[in-house]
Amino acid sequence: MLTNNLGYPRIGSNRELKKACESYWAGKISADELLATGATIRKQNWQLQAETGIDLIPSNDFSFYDQVLDLSLTLGVIPKRYQELAKTNSAIDLYFAMARGSQKEGQDVVAMEMTKWFDTNYHYIVPEFTKDQEFKLFSEKIIDEFKEANALGIATKPVLIGPVSYLLLGKEKEAGFHRIDLIEKLLPVYFEILQKLENENVEWIQFDEPFLALNLTDKERNAITYVYNEINKRFPKIKLILANYFDCFGENLSTVLALPVHTLHLDLVRCQSQLDDILESGQLSSNVSLSLGVVDGRNIWKNDFKNSLAIIKKATDALGEDRILIAPSCSLIHSPCDLELETNNATLTPEIKQWLAFAKQKTEEVVLLKYFASNEIDVSNSIRFQENTVANENRKTSTLIHNDAVKNRVASITTGDDQRENPFSIRRKKQIDVLDLPLFPTTTIGSFPQTTEVRSWRAKFKKGELNQQQYDDLIKKETEETIRFQEETGIDVLVHGEFERNDMVEYFGEQLDGFTFTKNGWVQSYGSRCVKPPVIYGDVSRPNPMTVKWSSFAQSLTPKWVKGMLTGPVTILQWSFVRNDQPRSETCTQIALAIRDEVVDLENAGIKIIQIDEPAIREGLPLRKEDWTTYLDWAVKAFRISASGVKDDTQIHTHMCYSEFNDIIQNIADMDADVITIECSRSQMELLDAFADFNYPNEIGPGVYDIHSPRVPSSTEMVRLLEKASAVIPVDQLWVNPDCGLKTRHWDETKKALIEMVAAAQQMRIAVENIATV
Ligand code: GLN
Ligand code: ZN
């Protein structure tokens, strides 16, 4: 039995990689210094895994920005606009230019597109393919890193994304072909890589084909068969592990079982039934081994050894120990690095800490499981086994986790709880009477610029350099100035600016029971950007109002309406580490009830318009289409529970951004928010077509300018977009607002842009009046 790791976090335990990259971009360190930091991280990771007892240690899992971009360079998939740069720049500068765009010495090229890696919060750089795409071995990173580890005395298992998934991850940049048609041209470069690795005496290699967890076409499935047969023909001696993760193989299973590979890696956390399916199918060839992904690579919970050992035993009984590898479910880049660095006992109490395992601890779990399963360590004498049992027992029964009041409340939810008193048509009339807003009402999405100054107040407050009173006074001053600016600009529905918030999920998590936070639990999101998701460990409830103080304060300053601002239950769930001891839907419902109470409290405090943001609703969609309905049912219901406690004349808004809405438009309508604001301007309102074709019944604010750019759009541009919008949506349903929150922008450009936006709304009103009088 061997232990197998699929990938190790490359950010460094103290985010060394982030710091080095950002210093390099700022011109503070040299390329050599940056490269040296990379080498140090790789060495530490390899040595740590070797010392822990991992047999198959990954290499080429390191990346300065993204592993898909690494592979694009490896395969010479460099879009035309960078080819000039490629001649004059160093390899690393070309690489960063592709990742981030580059403006220097008269060159100005935009970055490549970035998108989410399956259902994770990791973002990869999307390969761009042309019809006559050529492939050639351009970077030898994978071979270099294999040799680098060899020089340290560590024989690694190079990992790379398989050719089918690589093509499917990309996009066609011109019409007239499907990227999967490029497979025959692409494969020879993979052969070249394998040949070079074989020349270096590679024994194991891992090909990731995560698309095997998705619904594939016949053509795509045939490409899988073709690729792995061709590879096996040429390199029969290399032990190839074909890795799939994040879901079952589904209808791809029989294709996979017929492949001439050495080992299949299974994600037994996301798809428990897979092992039984394979063993019972009788189709597993007698020379194929299984890598059992029993340790959760996507979450922070300690493994349950008893449970994992039962699974391993089932497999060894059927296949024998020689054909079994023990592994995490997927690459550990989705886990924080090291639990030992969590020393803040006040927030992450010892009781909770004992339930957790980060990447380093997960590799230890994998190794221990091997020793237990092969009887090299007797479980009955093992302190580590006992510790694990005690921790898991404690978690099951801890009073920190279980709150009967919450459970009872969830159990007694009735049908009416997810419904407003009356349908939208009736609510709308009441809202028009009470709110008295003009046509094309203007608003923003919530946050105003989070300047370095605002952030420094929070840092000082946390360190105790400012007391509560001083901190509150500063936030009050900033809020008041923002209210005055909005009044002067003539915005119709104001916001308080969210200056008191660090992050739209953390802010709520900090005030809800059942949540805790790590000090150093960073996970790479994209490039040098890392996130530190909150940990939901127990039943969620809201001991006190969370936003009423600031919303009421802002409302007290002005006769105009100030919108209350909340993060929705699905987004809070989606952007946290979630409990694995109950279904996600259950946790989501608990959060929904907490948000519902907040909505009602805001209403009671005189807030008539309340926005519940759900930017993450789309990204929670399961990978397989057949699982969508179940998810959408509970997710939409959770939103409705959170929004339905208020009277008809209280207006509920929601906000979504940066997602594809077309295929879930019915579900978005089912959320029944009175107003939805969505990001649209980058696609020049194309997104609105979905809402128009569908006949979206409620009000819509399509974003009229892109907040990700410092560029100030003119009122004329925005009028043009609004005209496009009013061609497909009745004018009395339209709102005018930016794409998303303004927290990453500077005041200067924000002010100018909003003045233009209000002018655009006014022009639209005049135009409509003129039509009416004609
Ligand atoms: N209300 C939030 C803000 O304006 C919404 C952010 C988001 O959509 N991600 O910052
Ligand atoms: Zn947004």
Side-chain angles (χ1 to χ4, degrees), residues 3-10 41-62 149 154-157 159 206 328 330-333 359-364 366-367 371:
T3 51
N4 174 30
N5 191 22
L6 278 68
Y8 201 81
R10 57 222 179 193
I41 293 174
R42 289 193 292 272
K43 180 173 162 190
Q44 282 168 352
N45 284 354
W46 288 327
Q47 285 177 342
L48 189 132
Q49 292 173 81
E51 282 159 21
T52 310
I54 294 292
D55 300 310
L56 305 185
I57 298 172
S59 60
N60 199 41
D61 55 340
F62 176 82
I154 299 174
T156 56
K157 169 197 64 169
V159 300
Q206 172 186 320
C330 60
S331 165
L332 296 174
I333 67 164
K360 181 166 181 271
Q361 290 68 39
K362 286 173 191 292
T363 53
E364 291 164 5
V366 166
V367 173
Y371 289 145

Side-chain angles (χ1 to χ4, degrees), residues 445-447 498 504 565 575 611 613 615 655 657 740-743:
I445 306 304
S447 57
E498 302 183 19
M504 65 185 289
M565 268 313 139
W575 291 349
Q611 177 172 313
D613 290 324
H655 165 72
C657 47
C740 193
L742 297 161
K743 70 172 169 215

Side-chain angles (χ1 to χ4, degrees), residues 394-413:
N394 171 281
R395 188 173 160 219
K396 276 182 201 137
T397 52
S398 171
T399 50
L400 285 180
I401 288 187
H402 303 285
N403 179 336
D404 286 340
V406 174
K407 290 191 208 300
N408 292 337
R409 198 170 164 206
V410 169
S412 55
I413 289 175

Side-chain angles (χ1 to χ4, degrees), residues 570-571 574-575 613-621 631 655-656:
V570 186
T571 300
Q574 200 58 32
W575 291 349
D613 290 324
E614 283 291 19
I617 201 149
R618 159 84 213 206
E619 71 185 52
L621 273 184
Y631 162 77
H655 165 72
M656 288 175 201

Side-chain angles (χ1 to χ4, degrees), residues 410-651:
V410 169
S412 55
I413 289 175
T414 58
T415 26
D417 292 340
D418 67 345
Q419 270 163 33
R420 301 283 298 270
E421 266 169 52
N422 280 295
F424 176 68
S425 54
I426 296 177
R427 300 198 303 265
R428 182 160 195 232
K429 289 197 190 92
K430 297 190 190 176
Q431 289 169 17
I432 288 173
D433 283 348
V434 173
L435 299 175
D436 191 27
L437 295 168
L439 213 50
F440 296 104
T442 51
T443 191
T444 60
I445 306 304
S447 57
F448 266 85
Q450 281 264 337
T451 55
T452 339
E453 219 191 340
V454 172
R455 276 183 274 127
S456 78
W457 300 337
R458 193 157 37 247
K460 284 186 188 153
F461 175 54
K462 276 196 175 158
K463 278 192 229 149
E465 291 167 22
L466 288 176
N467 64 30
Q468 184 79 51
Q469 184 65 46
Q470 291 166 319
Y471 175 71
D472 283 1
D473 286 346
L474 288 164
I475 300 283
K476 274 188 182 164
K477 189 174 121 281
E478 195 76 6
T479 307
E480 173 148 19
E481 281 169 18
T482 303
I483 292 285
R484 297 295 165 243
F485 161 71
Q486 295 173 88
E487 286 178 333
E488 282 156 26
T489 312
I491 294 179
D492 301 304
V493 174
L494 315 193
V495 297
H496 74 286
E498 302 183 19
F499 302 110
E500 76 287 9
R501 302 185 189 177
N502 34 2
D503 167 277
M504 65 185 289
V505 170
E506 196 172 16
Y507 182 75
F508 291 92
E510 278 174 347
Q511 302 186 72
L512 289 167
D513 281 354
F515 279 74
T516 190
F517 297 85
T518 62
K519 207 175 71 174
N520 204 49
W522 297 101
V523 179
Q524 188 177 19
S525 172
Y526 62 88
S528 67
R529 199 180 138 75
C530 302
V531 292
K532 198 155 59 71
V535 175
I536 307 179
Y537 64 86
D539 290 334
V540 176
S541 61
R542 187 198 68 142
N544 295 300
M546 304 182 282
T547 64
V548 175
K549 173 174 130 185
W550 290 112
S551 286
S552 313
F553 168 72
Q555 184 64 84
S556 75
L557 300 171
T558 174
K560 290 203 163 187
W561 300 116
V562 176
K563 211 167 22 166
M565 268 313 139
L566 303 172
T567 303
V570 186
T571 300
I572 293 181
L573 181 88
Q574 200 58 32
W575 291 349
S576 302
F577 283 121
V578 178
R579 323 170 44 166
N580 61 352
D581 58 345
Q582 69 182 17
R584 291 169 78 80
S585 54
E586 183 85 8
T587 307
C588 195
T589 309
Q590 294 181 354
I591 305 170
L593 289 169
I595 299 295
R596 178 188 177 94
D597 293 346
E598 187 70 17
V599 172
V600 170
D601 281 347
L602 282 170
E603 180 184 61
N604 290 335
I607 306 296
K608 292 302 295 175
I609 305 182
I610 300 162
Q611 177 172 313
I612 308 171
D613 290 324
E614 283 291 19
I617 201 149
R618 159 84 213 206
E619 71 185 52
L621 273 184
L623 293 176
R624 306 188 142 268
K625 278 228 162 98
E626 56 268 32
D627 303 328
W628 281 21
T629 317
T630 312
Y631 162 77
L632 286 165
D633 283 353
W634 63 252
V636 168
K637 185 166 179 197
F639 177 86
R640 293 175 59 121
I641 288 173
S642 75
S644 296
V646 288
K647 298 188 199 78
D648 282 346
D649 61 11
T650 294
Q651 189 171 60

